[in-house]
């Protein structure tokens, strides 16, 4: 069992909960936290018993962003990083991007800087009505990270992303929801319950291989220059459903008015021709 110092990890009812766990520092983001988060998402993705991940934070805030008191980065300041070095927020956001399992971010209190960019690749962002967001990098003389310049415009449009990132202003949960950054708002005391309700529905009613393929189809194919390569891949996928036991089970469970029992496994049964599997 992996031991973590700055996050917690628990699994119950096919749902993994990953929680930032530095409440005394308002979950200030560190290099160690980044690496622990990446490892925890690896762990959840490789566990066939886990169907959904809930990402949250202990205490009153999700994360106030980089903890600048922790001594900088994990490379020598004089020598600089090696060419393969990756900044800490992207270690988490890119790992979530690669997930085969849906990820629900449950955000209350402050989600600032890296505290919001690490959530941009999640499938859902549920927020408490007391949440505050900010891409404050320009107000600190630094730069957007976590690949947020790629993720954010796809969520809220280029114009709104420019406003938030060029001004660096902090904005409230209502503005975040109206722009599409947040899917739904809930009272703070109800936020986690609503996140687990959503996670339970996904775990009970969706096929894990179908979810994994669909999630990556949206991320990988929605920015293509035309629909033709997307439809080419769609056609291969649809042609295979005649021999797909999950497809048979999905239809039978619907006709028989019962819960489906999907048997295919993400780690063994993804179609081998998916172009992103080469990564």
């Amino acid at each position: 069992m992996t031991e973590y110092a700055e996050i917690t990890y628990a699994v119950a009812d096919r749902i993994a909960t990953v929680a930032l766990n530095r409440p005394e520092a308002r979950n200030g983001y560190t290099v160690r936290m980044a690496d622990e988060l990446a490892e925890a998402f690896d762990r959840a993705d490789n566990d066939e018993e886990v169907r959904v991940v809930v990402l949250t934070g202990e205490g009153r805030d999700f994360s106030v962003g980089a903890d600048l008191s922790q001594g900088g980065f994990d490379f020598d300041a004089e020598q600089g990083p090696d060419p393969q070095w990756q900044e800490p927020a992207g270690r988490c956001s890119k790992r979530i991007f690669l997930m085969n399992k849906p990820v629900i971010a449950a955000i209350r209190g402050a989600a600032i800087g890296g505290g919001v960019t690490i959530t941009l690749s999640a499938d859902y962002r549920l927020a408490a009505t007391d949440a505050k967001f900010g891409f404050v990098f320009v107000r600190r003389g630094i730069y957007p990270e976590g690949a947020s310049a790629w993720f954010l415009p796809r969520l809220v449009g280029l114009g709104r992303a420019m406003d938030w990132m060029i001004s660096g202003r902090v904005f409230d949960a209502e503005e975040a929801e109206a722009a599409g950054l947040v899917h739904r708002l809930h009272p703070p005391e109800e936020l986690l319950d609503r996140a687990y309700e959503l996670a339970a529905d996904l775990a009970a009613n969706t096929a894990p291989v179908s979810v994994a393929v669909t999630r990556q189809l949206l991320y990988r194919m929605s920015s293509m220059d035309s629909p033709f390569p997307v439809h080419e891949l769609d056609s291969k996928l649809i042609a295979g459903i005649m021999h797909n036991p999950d497809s048979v089970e999905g239809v039978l469970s619907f006709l028989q008015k019962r819960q489906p029992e999907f048997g295919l496994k993400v780690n063994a049964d993804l179609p081998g021709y998916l172009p992103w599997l080469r990564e």
Side-chain angles (χ1 to χ4, degrees), residues 21-114:
N21 190 32
R22 299 184 70 228
E24 75 288 349
R26 301 180 70 192
N27 291 325
Y29 197 75
T30 69
V31 171
R32 178 164 187 163
M33 182 182 283
D35 290 339
E36 290 186 356
L37 285 168
E39 198 281 337
F41 281 105
D42 272 341
R43 184 174 171 183
D45 222 13
N46 291 319
D47 185 350
E48 291 289 3
E49 294 303 310
V50 170
R51 292 291 316 281
V52 187
V53 181
V54 172
L55 172 63
T56 189
E58 299 290 347
R60 70 182 188 274
D61 294 297
F62 181 77
S63 174
V64 294
D67 188 339
L68 302 178
S69 71
Q70 293 299 299
F73 301 119
D74 50 347
F75 59 82
D76 183 86
E78 295 298 323
Q79 296 182 359
D82 65 48
Q84 285 73 45
W85 184 81
Q86 297 185 356
E87 59 80 21
R91 300 179 199 183
C92 180
S93 65
K94 290 202 305 180
R95 184 60 190 86
I96 295 174
F97 171 86
L98 293 169
M99 290 289 288
N100 286 314
K101 318 285 176 71
V103 177
I104 302 166
I107 303 165
R108 66 159 302 173
I112 305 296

Side-chain angles (χ1 to χ4, degrees), residues 2-278:
T2 302
E3 295 295 331
Y4 301 108
E6 299 190 355
I7 70 168
T8 61
Y9 182 92
V11 178
D13 302 321
R14 300 191 291 178
I15 302 165
T17 301
V18 179
L20 313 187
N21 190 32
R22 299 184 70 228
E24 75 288 349
R26 301 180 70 192
N27 291 325
Y29 197 75
T30 69
V31 171
R32 178 164 187 163
M33 182 182 283
D35 290 339
E36 290 186 356
L37 285 168
E39 198 281 337
F41 281 105
D42 272 341
R43 184 174 171 183
D45 222 13
N46 291 319
D47 185 350
E48 291 289 3
E49 294 303 310
V50 170
R51 292 291 316 281
V52 187
V53 181
V54 172
L55 172 63
T56 189
E58 299 290 347
R60 70 182 188 274
D61 294 297
F62 181 77
S63 174
V64 294
D67 188 339
L68 302 178
S69 71
Q70 293 299 299
F73 301 119
D74 50 347
F75 59 82
D76 183 86
E78 295 298 323
Q79 296 182 359
D82 65 48
Q84 285 73 45
W85 184 81
Q86 297 185 356
E87 59 80 21
R91 300 179 199 183
C92 180
S93 65
K94 290 202 305 180
R95 184 60 190 86
I96 295 174
F97 171 86
L98 293 169
M99 290 289 288
N100 286 314
K101 318 285 176 71
V103 177
I104 302 166
I107 303 165
R108 66 159 302 173
I112 305 296
V116 63
T117 62
I118 65 171
T119 74
L120 297 182
S121 50
D123 301 76
Y124 294 90
R125 279 162 301 282
L126 308 185
T129 51
D130 68 353
K132 299 288 185 184
F133 301 87
F135 299 89
V136 298
F137 308 104
V138 297
R139 297 196 177 204
R140 303 293 179 266
I142 55 178
Y143 311 102
E145 32 74 304
S148 54
W150 189 88
F151 287 112
L152 187 61
R154 284 165 170 76
L155 295 172
V156 302
L158 182 58
R160 185 57 59 95
M162 292 287 283
D163 171 21
W164 288 346
M165 283 193 164
I166 296 301
S167 72
R169 64 184 176 85
V170 174
F171 52 96
D172 62 21
E174 287 75 17
E175 182 174 345
E177 183 190 34
L181 177 63
V182 167
H183 293 81
R184 289 186 281 281
L185 300 182
H186 301 287
E189 67 276 9
E190 296 180 11
L191 177 65
L192 269 181
D193 287 343
R194 301 291 84 77
Y196 286 125
E197 283 180 6
L198 173 59
D201 177 66
L202 297 177
N205 295 304
T206 65
V209 169
S210 180
V211 167
V213 173
T214 300
R215 187 181 195 279
Q216 291 297 322
L217 274 174
L218 288 165
Y219 261 139
R220 309 291 184 137
M221 309 298 278
S222 62
S223 59
M224 289 284 179
D225 291 336
S226 83
F228 298 110
V230 187
H231 188 240
E232 181 179 347
L233 182 54
D234 291 348
S235 298
K236 290 182 180 179
L237 290 164
I238 296 303
I241 65 174
M242 296 176 63
H243 305 288
N244 182 327
D246 275 1
S247 302
V248 174
E249 170 63 10
V251 173
L252 284 177
S253 62
F254 173 75
L255 294 174
Q256 295 168 1
K257 297 181 172 59
R258 59 173 175 82
Q259 287 292 108
E261 296 181 8
F262 297 115
L264 294 184
K265 304 295 185 183
V266 169
N267 293 332
D269 298 317
L270 289 174
Y273 52 79
L274 294 173
W276 52 86
L277 293 184
R278 292 191 292 270

